[in-house]
Amino acid sequence: MFKTIRNAWAIPDLRSKMIFTILMLIVYRLGSVIPVPGLSADAMAAFMSQDGGMGLFTLLDTFTGGAFSNATIFAMGITPYINSSIIMQLLAVAIPALERLQKEGEEGRKKINSITRYVTVVLALIQAIGLYFTLKAYGVVENPGFMSFVVIALTFTAGTAFIMWVGEQITEKGIGNGISLIIFAGIVSRLPQAAVTLYNEFLGVNLTVVSAVLLIVVLALSVAVVGFVVFMNEAERRIPVQYAKRVVGRKMYGGQSTNIPIKVAMAGVIPIIFASSIVSFPATIAQFAGGIPQTGFWHGFFELMSPGGWLYGVLYFVLIIFFTYFYTAMQFNPIEMANNIKRNGGFVPGIRPGKPTSDYIAKVLNRVVLVGALFLALIAVFPMAFSGVIPSMMLGGTSLLIVEGVALETVKQIESQMLMRHYKGFLD
């Protein structure tokens, strides 16, 4: 990876794109330390301590690189844009007009992106209003009032809109997907803090043989998990497709063999985000209402639904599997793929064209998705089991998936741009 980046840096055009991307990410990180007027940073820290180790606000703080817990202008991060994009993808299946726009190519994509931006601003404003009243209930707002409400809500909304613009600029003029790189930058910015936590846990107080051995085990386990995630992200099942030869005039077309790659982790991190939002929803609503009850039935319920509760873990695991199948079904249509293969004179060896082909693709897809769903669920639930052994040390499965996915995808984009410029050294 580092060799690829070094070779790309030697190409002036790619170097200017990489510099632009770095500058935009620096702008984003600078905005992540500018405080919002009227919010108390100390009260915000106390509020975050009530969210638990893996609550919805903790997840938001992870994606924003600490901007939420520091009460800055980028506190909401790019989450409204992600939600808007997911909503547009779901609506494209239900609304024929949006489905037609998706199939119109570049012009249709521009129109959908324009609609997504407007939906993002609306969602950001709604989220900012809800966030204001939540922070007000917990004493984070220093001087509650109408002007304070307007300033804080609009600042949160404007911060999200600006991040969305930065991400689009990176995608258009830089390297990689801008929105993904912004999330990547926020997560990676917390690595120094994680290193300090690791040092204080094992080496900062009393260095013993047991703590040293435990540190080595933790580091080895972390490397193993990273390697496993990279392997699963790159794993794919290939369905062979053969195209028959056909003669048009005096020329012969077809006759080549290809394949349909089905990635094991096709859904990416989306199912984890969906599942985390749902299992954290009861505690979030309780916080909106003024806090979790200290006694009675609801106290026991929220104890089970806390990040350390068994019910939370079971629901989290099951929902990730469900949303993996759901999101894959939205993205991958075996019937449409079988029809495209048949229309172009292709066939899967040993399988009749048409419905038998679509049934075969669906069967393979279901098996591959099951492996991918179990992989995502295990990676997401793993930090809970690990935190039971070492409470103050948490391996973020969601963060790990995002960081590695974005890093691999960005390097692939750099490589493809190098190939387009006929860089010979890359193939050596």
Side-chain angles (χ1 to χ4, degrees), residues 2-259:
F2 294 106
K3 181 180 179 181
T4 302
I5 295 175
R6 186 176 65 250
N7 292 336
W9 188 264
I11 302 176
D13 185 24
L14 289 181
R15 182 168 64 245
S16 63
K17 288 188 174 184
M18 294 171 69
I19 293 175
F20 179 82
T21 301
I22 294 172
L23 291 177
M24 286 291 99
L25 292 178
I26 290 175
V27 170
Y28 164 67
R29 290 309 302 163
L30 289 176
S32 299
V33 297
I34 300 176
V36 175
L39 294 183
S40 171
D42 295 334
M44 178 66 89
F47 167 72
M48 287 298 299
S49 65
Q50 302 178 31
D51 187 46
M54 296 177 61
L56 187 60
F57 293 114
T58 302
L59 184 64
L60 178 61
D61 189 52
T62 300
F63 287 168
T64 59
F68 182 81
S69 59
N70 294 328
T72 64
I73 60 175
F74 292 164
M76 294 198 309
I78 201 63
T79 306
Y81 181 84
I82 297 174
N83 296 335
S84 176
S85 300
I86 294 172
I87 290 173
M88 292 300 297
Q89 289 180 3
L90 296 177
L91 290 179
V93 180
I95 301 177
L98 291 178
E99 187 177 4
R100 287 194 297 270
L101 281 178
Q102 279 190 331
K103 297 179 179 180
E104 288 181 3
E106 185 67 19
E107 289 300 320
R109 186 182 64 84
K110 289 181 180 179
K111 293 179 181 178
I112 290 179
N113 288 341
S114 179
I115 298 173
T116 303
R117 295 188 194 102
Y118 288 114
V119 176
T120 299
V121 174
V122 173
L123 290 179
L125 181 59
I126 295 173
Q127 184 175 332
I129 293 173
L131 188 58
Y132 169 81
F133 286 107
T134 302
L135 298 179
K136 177 184 175 182
Y138 283 85
V140 180
V141 181
E142 294 178 338
N143 299 305
F146 178 74
M147 287 304 300
S148 178
F149 162 73
V150 171
V151 170
I152 293 174
L154 291 183
T155 301
F156 282 149
T157 305
T160 295
F162 183 77
I163 296 175
M164 178 179 63
W165 178 82
V166 169
E168 291 180 347
Q169 293 300 307
I170 293 176
T171 302
E172 181 181 351
K173 302 177 182 178
I175 291 289
N177 183 282
I179 304 300
S180 300
L181 284 172
I182 285 175
I183 300 175
F184 174 88
I187 295 173
V188 170
S189 66
R190 297 176 67 89
L191 288 180
Q193 180 182 351
V196 172
T197 303
L198 186 65
Y199 175 84
N200 293 334
E201 176 67 31
F202 296 102
L203 305 176
V205 183
N206 293 315
L207 178 59
T208 62
V209 176
V210 175
S211 63
V213 172
L214 195 57
L215 175 60
I216 295 174
V217 171
V218 169
L219 294 177
L221 187 61
S222 301
V223 173
V225 171
V226 170
F228 177 66
V229 170
V230 172
F231 173 77
M232 294 300 291
N233 272 332
E234 296 297 298
E236 62 184 22
R237 167 70 159 87
R238 298 176 180 176
I239 300 178
V241 178
Q242 180 73 37
Y243 287 92
K245 295 180 180 180
R246 54 193 178 96
V247 178
V248 180
R250 295 185 176 182
K251 295 184 178 180
M252 181 176 293
Y253 297 90
Q256 76 270 19
S257 298
T258 183
N259 59 74

Side-chain angles (χ1 to χ4, degrees), residues 328-342:
T328 303
M330 301 294 294
Q331 299 293 314
F332 198 99
N333 189 342
I335 297 177
E336 183 178 349
M337 180 152 293
N339 291 335
N340 289 336
I341 294 174
K342 182 179 179 180

